[in-house]
Amino acid sequence: MRDDAPSRVRTRTVVLAPGEVRPHVEDEWRGAVVVVDAGQIELCCAAGGSRTFATGSVLWFTGLNLVRVRNPGQDEAVFRGITREPP
């Protein structure tokens, strides 16, 4: 099946300096696929756990009960959310 309609996506890029922390707002990332473009990001959950993801990681923030995103590295961290535009 071929879809001739142009694909419309919206991207949002966030840059975190080394050690910078950004509060997570669930609605900002709802439905987005998140790609780590540079550096590494640490996702911190409300229950106290955390995981670190490096360049090339593809993530989904929705439903993870995140409280913040932090750059644990020595270099800038760049990540972006990609969502579809409504038809």
Side-chain angles (χ1 to χ4, degrees):
M1 177 184 267
R2 183 177 165 176
D3 185 354
D4 291 328
S7 175
R8 289 186 238 152
V9 296
R10 179 177 48 184
T11 62
R12 174 186 193 171
T13 302
V14 175
V15 178
L16 296 177
E20 185 176 355
V21 176
R22 184 177 195 280
H24 176 71
V25 178
E26 182 83 16
D27 287 340
E28 290 179 345
W29 300 98
R30 192 170 311 284
V33 172
V34 179
V35 179
V36 181
D37 289 324
Q40 53 186 332
I41 61 172
E42 179 184 44
L43 304 182
C44 304
C45 297
S50 66
R51 298 268 190 221
T52 301
F53 298 90
T55 302
S57 296
V58 178
L59 311 163
W60 180 267
F61 288 179
T62 304
L64 298 179
N65 202 18
L66 300 176
V67 290
R68 65 185 172 278
V69 179
R70 183 177 84 87
N71 177 356
Q74 300 295 317
D75 300 312
E76 268 189 348
V78 180
F79 62 99
R80 67 190 149 100
I82 304 164
T83 54
R84 289 182 133 191
E85 291 281 336

PDB file of all heavy atoms in Angstrom, residues 10-46:
ATOM      1  N   ARG A  10       6.701  16.708  13.849  1.00  0.00           N
ATOM      2  CA  ARG A  10       7.149  17.849  14.640  1.00  0.00           C
ATOM      3  C   ARG A  10       8.316  17.358  15.495  1.00  0.00           C
ATOM      4  O   ARG A  10       8.264  16.272  16.063  1.00  0.00           O
ATOM      5  CB  ARG A  10       5.996  18.329  15.520  1.00  0.00           C
ATOM      6  CG  ARG A  10       6.343  19.503  16.399  1.00  0.00           C
ATOM      7  CD  ARG A  10       5.146  19.957  17.176  1.00  0.00           C
ATOM      8  NE  ARG A  10       4.506  18.780  17.800  1.00  0.00           N
ATOM      9  CZ  ARG A  10       3.386  18.818  18.480  1.00  0.00           C
ATOM     10  NH1 ARG A  10       2.740  19.939  18.636  1.00  0.00           N
ATOM     11  NH2 ARG A  10       2.881  17.746  19.017  1.00  0.00           N
ATOM     12  N   THR A  11       9.357  18.153  15.564  1.00  0.00           N
ATOM     13  CA  THR A  11      10.485  17.788  16.406  1.00  0.00           C
ATOM     14  C   THR A  11      10.718  18.871  17.457  1.00  0.00           C
ATOM     15  O   THR A  11      10.402  20.046  17.244  1.00  0.00           O
ATOM     16  CB  THR A  11      11.786  17.588  15.607  1.00  0.00           C
ATOM     17  OG1 THR A  11      12.141  18.810  14.976  1.00  0.00           O
ATOM     18  CG2 THR A  11      11.632  16.494  14.571  1.00  0.00           C
ATOM     19  N   ARG A  12      11.247  18.444  18.558  1.00  0.00           N
ATOM     20  CA  ARG A  12      11.578  19.344  19.657  1.00  0.00           C
ATOM     21  C   ARG A  12      12.942  18.900  20.174  1.00  0.00           C
ATOM     22  O   ARG A  12      13.122  17.753  20.569  1.00  0.00           O
ATOM     23  CB  ARG A  12      10.529  19.202  20.735  1.00  0.00           C
ATOM     24  CG  ARG A  12      10.864  19.970  21.955  1.00  0.00           C
ATOM     25  CD  ARG A  12       9.875  19.668  23.023  1.00  0.00           C
ATOM     26  NE  ARG A  12      10.063  20.670  24.048  1.00  0.00           N
ATOM     27  CZ  ARG A  12       9.282  20.825  25.046  1.00  0.00           C
ATOM     28  NH1 ARG A  12       8.231  20.061  25.168  1.00  0.00           N
ATOM     29  NH2 ARG A  12       9.515  21.734  25.943  1.00  0.00           N
ATOM     30  N   THR A  13      13.902  19.807  20.173  1.00  0.00           N
ATOM     31  CA  THR A  13      15.260  19.476  20.587  1.00  0.00           C
ATOM     32  C   THR A  13      15.579  20.136  21.924  1.00  0.00           C
ATOM     33  O   THR A  13      15.260  21.304  22.137  1.00  0.00           O
ATOM     34  CB  THR A  13      16.276  19.934  19.517  1.00  0.00           C
ATOM     35  OG1 THR A  13      15.960  19.296  18.277  1.00  0.00           O
ATOM     36  CG2 THR A  13      17.693  19.577  19.919  1.00  0.00           C
ATOM     37  N   VAL A  14      16.206  19.365  22.808  1.00  0.00           N
ATOM     38  CA  VAL A  14      16.624  19.857  24.117  1.00  0.00           C
ATOM     39  C   VAL A  14      18.133  19.636  24.242  1.00  0.00           C
ATOM     40  O   VAL A  14      18.635  18.564  23.905  1.00  0.00           O
ATOM     41  CB  VAL A  14      15.885  19.110  25.260  1.00  0.00           C
ATOM     42  CG1 VAL A  14      16.412  19.528  26.620  1.00  0.00           C
ATOM     43  CG2 VAL A  14      14.387  19.341  25.156  1.00  0.00           C
ATOM     44  N   VAL A  15      18.823  20.656  24.723  1.00  0.00           N
ATOM     45  CA  VAL A  15      20.265  20.565  24.964  1.00  0.00           C
ATOM     46  C   VAL A  15      20.495  20.770  26.460  1.00  0.00           C
ATOM     47  O   VAL A  15      20.011  21.750  27.029  1.00  0.00           O
ATOM     48  CB  VAL A  15      21.035  21.632  24.156  1.00  0.00           C
ATOM     49  CG1 VAL A  15      22.527  21.559  24.454  1.00  0.00           C
ATOM     50  CG2 VAL A  15      20.767  21.492  22.659  1.00  0.00           C
ATOM     51  N   LEU A  16      21.208  19.831  27.074  1.00  0.00           N
ATOM     52  CA  LEU A  16      21.539  19.934  28.493  1.00  0.00           C
ATOM     53  C   LEU A  16      23.053  20.053  28.644  1.00  0.00           C
ATOM     54  O   LEU A  16      23.808  19.240  28.099  1.00  0.00           O
ATOM     55  CB  LEU A  16      21.066  18.701  29.259  1.00  0.00           C
ATOM     56  CG  LEU A  16      19.567  18.425  29.324  1.00  0.00           C
ATOM     57  CD1 LEU A  16      19.307  17.113  30.070  1.00  0.00           C
ATOM     58  CD2 LEU A  16      18.845  19.561  29.995  1.00  0.00           C
ATOM     59  N   ALA A  17      23.493  21.033  29.409  1.00  0.00           N
ATOM     60  CA  ALA A  17      24.911  21.178  29.729  1.00  0.00           C
ATOM     61  C   ALA A  17      25.322  20.049  30.673  1.00  0.00           C
ATOM     62  O   ALA A  17      24.473  19.426  31.324  1.00  0.00           O
ATOM     63  CB  ALA A  17      25.147  22.539  30.388  1.00  0.00           C
ATOM     64  N   PRO A  18      26.621  19.772  30.784  1.00  0.00           N
ATOM     65  CA  PRO A  18      27.063  18.741  31.727  1.00  0.00           C
ATOM     66  C   PRO A  18      26.520  19.008  33.132  1.00  0.00           C
ATOM     67  O   PRO A  18      26.589  20.131  33.640  1.00  0.00           O
ATOM     68  CB  PRO A  18      28.593  18.878  31.698  1.00  0.00           C
ATOM     69  CG  PRO A  18      28.875  19.417  30.325  1.00  0.00           C
ATOM     70  CD  PRO A  18      27.732  20.357  30.044  1.00  0.00           C
ATOM     71  N   GLY A  19      25.902  17.995  33.728  1.00  0.00           N
ATOM     72  CA  GLY A  19      25.341  18.105  35.076  1.00  0.00           C
ATOM     73  C   GLY A  19      23.978  18.767  35.156  1.00  0.00           C
ATOM     74  O   GLY A  19      23.345  18.760  36.207  1.00  0.00           O
ATOM     75  N   GLU A  20      23.499  19.331  34.047  1.00  0.00           N
ATOM     76  CA  GLU A  20      22.207  20.031  34.074  1.00  0.00           C
ATOM     77  C   GLU A  20      21.055  19.050  34.260  1.00  0.00           C
ATOM     78  O   GLU A  20      21.076  17.935  33.746  1.00  0.00           O
ATOM     79  CB  GLU A  20      22.009  20.819  32.784  1.00  0.00           C
ATOM     80  CG  GLU A  20      20.763  21.677  32.778  1.00  0.00           C
ATOM     81  CD  GLU A  20      20.629  22.540  31.532  1.00  0.00           C
ATOM     82  OE1 GLU A  20      21.546  22.561  30.688  1.00  0.00           O
ATOM     83  OE2 GLU A  20      19.587  23.198  31.413  1.00  0.00           O
ATOM     84  N   VAL A  21      20.049  19.499  35.006  1.00  0.00           N
ATOM     85  CA  VAL A  21      18.853  18.708  35.280  1.00  0.00           C
ATOM     86  C   VAL A  21      17.653  19.458  34.741  1.00  0.00           C
ATOM     87  O   VAL A  21      17.537  20.669  34.906  1.00  0.00           O
ATOM     88  CB  VAL A  21      18.681  18.475  36.802  1.00  0.00           C
ATOM     89  CG1 VAL A  21      17.388  17.737  37.098  1.00  0.00           C
ATOM     90  CG2 VAL A  21      19.874  17.724  37.363  1.00  0.00           C
ATOM     91  N   ARG A  22      16.743  18.726  34.117  1.00  0.00           N
ATOM     92  CA  ARG A  22      15.511  19.311  33.580  1.00  0.00           C
ATOM     93  C   ARG A  22      14.333  18.544  34.149  1.00  0.00           C
ATOM     94  O   ARG A  22      14.267  17.316  34.010  1.00  0.00           O
ATOM     95  CB  ARG A  22      15.521  19.187  32.066  1.00  0.00           C
ATOM     96  CG  ARG A  22      14.362  19.821  31.372  1.00  0.00           C
ATOM     97  CD  ARG A  22      14.556  19.668  29.849  1.00  0.00           C
ATOM     98  NE  ARG A  22      13.675  20.539  29.131  1.00  0.00           N
ATOM     99  CZ  ARG A  22      12.396  20.293  28.909  1.00  0.00           C
ATOM    100  NH1 ARG A  22      11.850  19.187  29.369  1.00  0.00           N
ATOM    101  NH2 ARG A  22      11.660  21.136  28.233  1.00  0.00           N
ATOM    102  N   PRO A  23      13.393  19.241  34.800  1.00  0.00           N
ATOM    103  CA  PRO A  23      12.197  18.539  35.284  1.00  0.00           C
ATOM    104  C   PRO A  23      11.438  17.923  34.104  1.00  0.00           C
ATOM    105  O   PRO A  23      11.386  18.506  33.027  1.00  0.00           O
ATOM    106  CB  PRO A  23      11.371  19.632  35.940  1.00  0.00           C
ATOM    107  CG  PRO A  23      12.284  20.782  36.133  1.00  0.00           C
ATOM    108  CD  PRO A  23      13.359  20.668  35.106  1.00  0.00           C
ATOM    109  N   HIS A  24      10.876  16.760  34.338  1.00  0.00           N
ATOM    110  CA  HIS A  24      10.095  16.101  33.282  1.00  0.00           C
ATOM    111  C   HIS A  24       8.633  16.498  33.405  1.00  0.00           C
ATOM    112  O   HIS A  24       8.045  16.421  34.486  1.00  0.00           O
ATOM    113  CB  HIS A  24      10.215  14.583  33.394  1.00  0.00           C
ATOM    114  CG  HIS A  24       9.362  13.861  32.412  1.00  0.00           C
ATOM    115  ND1 HIS A  24       9.641  13.850  31.064  1.00  0.00           N
ATOM    116  CD2 HIS A  24       8.227  13.159  32.569  1.00  0.00           C
ATOM    117  CE1 HIS A  24       8.696  13.148  30.439  1.00  0.00           C
ATOM    118  NE2 HIS A  24       7.830  12.722  31.335  1.00  0.00           N
ATOM    119  N   VAL A  25       8.058  16.920  32.288  1.00  0.00           N
ATOM    120  CA  VAL A  25       6.633  17.242  32.213  1.00  0.00           C
ATOM    121  C   VAL A  25       6.028  16.264  31.206  1.00  0.00           C
ATOM    122  O   VAL A  25       6.286  16.351  30.005  1.00  0.00           O
ATOM    123  CB  VAL A  25       6.399  18.711  31.775  1.00  0.00           C
ATOM    124  CG1 VAL A  25       4.914  18.995  31.650  1.00  0.00           C
ATOM    125  CG2 VAL A  25       7.077  19.664  32.749  1.00  0.00           C
ATOM    126  N   GLU A  26       5.235  15.336  31.722  1.00  0.00           N
ATOM    127  CA  GLU A  26       4.682  14.242  30.902  1.00  0.00           C
ATOM    128  C   GLU A  26       3.999  14.734  29.629  1.00  0.00           C
ATOM    129  O   GLU A  26       4.216  14.187  28.548  1.00  0.00           O
ATOM    130  CB  GLU A  26       3.704  13.426  31.749  1.00  0.00           C
ATOM    131  CG  GLU A  26       3.098  12.241  31.038  1.00  0.00           C
ATOM    132  CD  GLU A  26       3.979  10.998  31.034  1.00  0.00           C
ATOM    133  OE1 GLU A  26       4.928  10.916  31.821  1.00  0.00           O
ATOM    134  OE2 GLU A  26       3.711  10.111  30.213  1.00  0.00           O
ATOM    135  N   ASP A  27       3.179  15.781  29.731  1.00  0.00           N
ATOM    136  CA  ASP A  27       2.422  16.251  28.564  1.00  0.00           C
ATOM    137  C   ASP A  27       3.314  16.777  27.442  1.00  0.00           C
ATOM    138  O   ASP A  27       2.923  16.754  26.284  1.00  0.00           O
ATOM    139  CB  ASP A  27       1.411  17.324  28.966  1.00  0.00           C
ATOM    140  CG  ASP A  27       0.229  16.746  29.727  1.00  0.00           C
ATOM    141  OD1 ASP A  27      -0.012  15.523  29.627  1.00  0.00           O
ATOM    142  OD2 ASP A  27      -0.455  17.514  30.428  1.00  0.00           O
ATOM    143  N   GLU A  28       4.509  17.245  27.765  1.00  0.00           N
ATOM    144  CA  GLU A  28       5.420  17.749  26.735  1.00  0.00           C
ATOM    145  C   GLU A  28       5.916  16.633  25.818  1.00  0.00           C
ATOM    146  O   GLU A  28       6.315  16.891  24.690  1.00  0.00           O
ATOM    147  CB  GLU A  28       6.644  18.420  27.371  1.00  0.00           C
ATOM    148  CG  GLU A  28       6.348  19.715  28.063  1.00  0.00           C
ATOM    149  CD  GLU A  28       7.600  20.317  28.688  1.00  0.00           C
ATOM    150  OE1 GLU A  28       8.632  19.609  28.838  1.00  0.00           O
ATOM    151  OE2 GLU A  28       7.542  21.503  29.030  1.00  0.00           O
ATOM    152  N   TRP A  29       5.927  15.408  26.298  1.00  0.00           N
ATOM    153  CA  TRP A  29       6.522  14.294  25.566  1.00  0.00           C
ATOM    154  C   TRP A  29       5.518  13.211  25.184  1.00  0.00           C
ATOM    155  O   TRP A  29       5.897  12.195  24.606  1.00  0.00           O
ATOM    156  CB  TRP A  29       7.648  13.693  26.401  1.00  0.00           C
ATOM    157  CG  TRP A  29       8.688  14.719  26.678  1.00  0.00           C
ATOM    158  CD1 TRP A  29       8.812  15.467  27.816  1.00  0.00           C
ATOM    159  CD2 TRP A  29       9.695  15.172  25.789  1.00  0.00           C
ATOM    160  NE1 TRP A  29       9.847  16.338  27.686  1.00  0.00           N
ATOM    161  CE2 TRP A  29      10.414  16.190  26.445  1.00  0.00           C
ATOM    162  CE3 TRP A  29      10.061  14.829  24.493  1.00  0.00           C
ATOM    163  CZ2 TRP A  29      11.482  16.851  25.857  1.00  0.00           C
ATOM    164  CZ3 TRP A  29      11.133  15.488  23.908  1.00  0.00           C
ATOM    165  CH2 TRP A  29      11.833  16.481  24.579  1.00  0.00           C
ATOM    166  N   ARG A  30       4.253  13.443  25.445  1.00  0.00           N
ATOM    167  CA  ARG A  30       3.229  12.441  25.151  1.00  0.00           C
ATOM    168  C   ARG A  30       3.208  12.116  23.655  1.00  0.00           C
ATOM    169  O   ARG A  30       3.130  12.982  22.820  1.00  0.00           O
ATOM    170  CB  ARG A  30       1.861  12.937  25.598  1.00  0.00           C
ATOM    171  CG  ARG A  30       0.801  11.847  25.595  1.00  0.00           C
ATOM    172  CD  ARG A  30      -0.487  12.272  26.267  1.00  0.00           C
ATOM    173  NE  ARG A  30      -0.324  12.890  27.590  1.00  0.00           N
ATOM    174  CZ  ARG A  30      -0.055  12.230  28.712  1.00  0.00           C
ATOM    175  NH1 ARG A  30       0.118  10.921  28.678  1.00  0.00           N
ATOM    176  NH2 ARG A  30       0.053  12.870  29.856  1.00  0.00           N
ATOM    177  N   GLY A  31       3.336  10.846  23.343  1.00  0.00           N
ATOM    178  CA  GLY A  31       3.286  10.384  21.963  1.00  0.00           C
ATOM    179  C   GLY A  31       4.566  10.577  21.174  1.00  0.00           C
ATOM    180  O   GLY A  31       4.611  10.287  19.982  1.00  0.00           O
ATOM    181  N   ALA A  32       5.631  11.040  21.822  1.00  0.00           N
ATOM    182  CA  ALA A  32       6.889  11.302  21.112  1.00  0.00           C
ATOM    183  C   ALA A  32       7.849  10.123  21.216  1.00  0.00           C
ATOM    184  O   ALA A  32       7.958   9.478  22.250  1.00  0.00           O
ATOM    185  CB  ALA A  32       7.569  12.545  21.685  1.00  0.00           C
ATOM    186  N   VAL A  33       8.544   9.884  20.123  1.00  0.00           N
ATOM    187  CA  VAL A  33       9.700   9.004  20.135  1.00  0.00           C
ATOM    188  C   VAL A  33      10.883   9.928  20.417  1.00  0.00           C
ATOM    189  O   VAL A  33      11.011  10.991  19.806  1.00  0.00           O
ATOM    190  CB  VAL A  33       9.872   8.288  18.775  1.00  0.00           C
ATOM    191  CG1 VAL A  33      11.175   7.527  18.720  1.00  0.00           C
ATOM    192  CG2 VAL A  33       8.699   7.369  18.514  1.00  0.00           C
ATOM    193  N   VAL A  34      11.734   9.552  21.351  1.00  0.00           N
ATOM    194  CA  VAL A  34      12.845  10.405  21.766  1.00  0.00           C
ATOM    195  C   VAL A  34      14.153   9.763  21.312  1.00  0.00           C
ATOM    196  O   VAL A  34      14.389   8.573  21.563  1.00  0.00           O
ATOM    197  CB  VAL A  34      12.846  10.609  23.297  1.00  0.00           C
ATOM    198  CG1 VAL A  34      14.021  11.483  23.721  1.00  0.00           C
ATOM    199  CG2 VAL A  34      11.514  11.216  23.750  1.00  0.00           C
ATOM    200  N   VAL A  35      15.000  10.556  20.657  1.00  0.00           N
ATOM    201  CA  VAL A  35      16.289  10.089  20.164  1.00  0.00           C
ATOM    202  C   VAL A  35      17.391  10.882  20.859  1.00  0.00           C
ATOM    203  O   VAL A  35      17.330  12.108  20.909  1.00  0.00           O
ATOM    204  CB  VAL A  35      16.397  10.275  18.636  1.00  0.00           C
ATOM    205  CG1 VAL A  35      17.756   9.815  18.130  1.00  0.00           C
ATOM    206  CG2 VAL A  35      15.283   9.540  17.915  1.00  0.00           C
ATOM    207  N   VAL A  36      18.383  10.170  21.391  1.00  0.00           N
ATOM    208  CA  VAL A  36      19.548  10.836  21.976  1.00  0.00           C
ATOM    209  C   VAL A  36      20.531  11.083  20.833  1.00  0.00           C
ATOM    210  O   VAL A  36      21.101  10.143  20.278  1.00  0.00           O
ATOM    211  CB  VAL A  36      20.201   9.991  23.097  1.00  0.00           C
ATOM    212  CG1 VAL A  36      21.399  10.732  23.694  1.00  0.00           C
ATOM    213  CG2 VAL A  36      19.185   9.647  24.176  1.00  0.00           C
ATOM    214  N   ASP A  37      20.706  12.354  20.477  1.00  0.00           N
ATOM    215  CA  ASP A  37      21.564  12.714  19.343  1.00  0.00           C
ATOM    216  C   ASP A  37      23.027  12.871  19.730  1.00  0.00           C
ATOM    217  O   ASP A  37      23.915  12.676  18.897  1.00  0.00           O
ATOM    218  CB  ASP A  37      21.077  14.016  18.706  1.00  0.00           C
ATOM    219  CG  ASP A  37      19.771  13.840  17.960  1.00  0.00           C
ATOM    220  OD1 ASP A  37      19.568  12.776  17.342  1.00  0.00           O
ATOM    221  OD2 ASP A  37      18.940  14.767  17.995  1.00  0.00           O
ATOM    222  N   ALA A  38      23.302  13.261  20.980  1.00  0.00           N
ATOM    223  CA  ALA A  38      24.685  13.448  21.426  1.00  0.00           C
ATOM    224  C   ALA A  38      24.753  13.306  22.938  1.00  0.00           C
ATOM    225  O   ALA A  38      23.803  13.631  23.639  1.00  0.00           O
ATOM    226  CB  ALA A  38      25.194  14.825  21.011  1.00  0.00           C
ATOM    227  N   GLY A  39      25.889  12.819  23.426  1.00  0.00           N
ATOM    228  CA  GLY A  39      26.087  12.694  24.870  1.00  0.00           C
ATOM    229  C   GLY A  39      25.260  11.581  25.467  1.00  0.00           C
ATOM    230  O   GLY A  39      24.977  10.578  24.819  1.00  0.00           O
ATOM    231  N   GLN A  40      24.845  11.808  26.705  1.00  0.00           N
ATOM    232  CA  GLN A  40      24.030  10.822  27.409  1.00  0.00           C
ATOM    233  C   GLN A  40      23.039  11.522  28.321  1.00  0.00           C
ATOM    234  O   GLN A  40      23.296  12.621  28.797  1.00  0.00           O
ATOM    235  CB  GLN A  40      24.899   9.838  28.186  1.00  0.00           C
ATOM    236  CG  GLN A  40      25.901  10.473  29.108  1.00  0.00           C
ATOM    237  CD  GLN A  40      26.824   9.445  29.740  1.00  0.00           C
ATOM    238  OE1 GLN A  40      26.444   8.290  29.925  1.00  0.00           O
ATOM    239  NE2 GLN A  40      28.020   9.851  30.091  1.00  0.00           N
ATOM    240  N   ILE A  41      21.908  10.865  28.524  1.00  0.00           N
ATOM    241  CA  ILE A  41      20.893  11.393  29.435  1.00  0.00           C
ATOM    242  C   ILE A  41      20.548  10.317  30.455  1.00  0.00           C
ATOM    243  O   ILE A  41      20.588   9.121  30.158  1.00  0.00           O
ATOM    244  CB  ILE A  41      19.621  11.877  28.711  1.00  0.00           C
ATOM    245  CG1 ILE A  41      18.941  10.745  27.938  1.00  0.00           C
ATOM    246  CG2 ILE A  41      19.925  13.064  27.813  1.00  0.00           C
ATOM    247  CD1 ILE A  41      17.583  11.111  27.357  1.00  0.00           C
ATOM    248  N   GLU A  42      20.225  10.774  31.651  1.00  0.00           N
ATOM    249  CA  GLU A  42      19.796   9.880  32.715  1.00  0.00           C
ATOM    250  C   GLU A  42      18.332  10.175  33.005  1.00  0.00           C
ATOM    251  O   GLU A  42      17.978  11.324  33.268  1.00  0.00           O
ATOM    252  CB  GLU A  42      20.633  10.111  33.964  1.00  0.00           C
ATOM    253  CG  GLU A  42      20.234   9.236  35.132  1.00  0.00           C
ATOM    254  CD  GLU A  42      21.035   9.565  36.381  1.00  0.00           C
ATOM    255  OE1 GLU A  42      21.225  10.760  36.689  1.00  0.00           O
ATOM    256  OE2 GLU A  42      21.458   8.608  37.034  1.00  0.00           O
ATOM    257  N   LEU A  43      17.490   9.156  32.926  1.00  0.00           N
ATOM    258  CA  LEU A  43      16.073   9.295  33.236  1.00  0.00           C
ATOM    259  C   LEU A  43      15.879   8.877  34.688  1.00  0.00           C
ATOM    260  O   LEU A  43      16.260   7.771  35.081  1.00  0.00           O
ATOM    261  CB  LEU A  43      15.233   8.407  32.322  1.00  0.00           C
ATOM    262  CG  LEU A  43      15.409   8.620  30.827  1.00  0.00           C
ATOM    263  CD1 LEU A  43      14.466   7.696  30.055  1.00  0.00           C
ATOM    264  CD2 LEU A  43      15.194  10.068  30.439  1.00  0.00           C
ATOM    265  N   CYS A  44      15.307   9.775  35.492  1.00  0.00           N
ATOM    266  CA  CYS A  44      15.126   9.531  36.924  1.00  0.00           C
ATOM    267  C   CYS A  44      13.633   9.375  37.227  1.00  0.00           C
ATOM    268  O   CYS A  44      12.834  10.271  36.908  1.00  0.00           O
ATOM    269  CB  CYS A  44      15.704  10.694  37.722  1.00  0.00           C
ATOM    270  SG  CYS A  44      17.445  11.010  37.340  1.00  0.00           S
ATOM    271  N   CYS A  45      13.266   8.258  37.825  1.00  0.00           N
ATOM    272  CA  CYS A  45      11.864   7.936  38.104  1.00  0.00           C
ATOM    273  C   CYS A  45      11.455   8.380  39.508  1.00  0.00           C
ATOM    274  O   CYS A  45      12.285   8.522  40.400  1.00  0.00           O
ATOM    275  CB  CYS A  45      11.645   6.436  37.979  1.00  0.00           C
ATOM    276  SG  CYS A  45      11.938   5.810  36.326  1.00  0.00           S
ATOM    277  N   ALA A  46      10.154   8.538  39.685  1.00  0.00           N
ATOM    278  CA  ALA A  46       9.599   8.946  40.977  1.00  0.00           C
ATOM    279  C   ALA A  46       9.925   7.932  42.074  1.00  0.00           C
ATOM    280  O   ALA A  46      10.078   8.297  43.230  1.00  0.00           O
ATOM    281  CB  ALA A  46       8.091   9.142  40.861  1.00  0.00           C
TER     282      ALA A  46
END
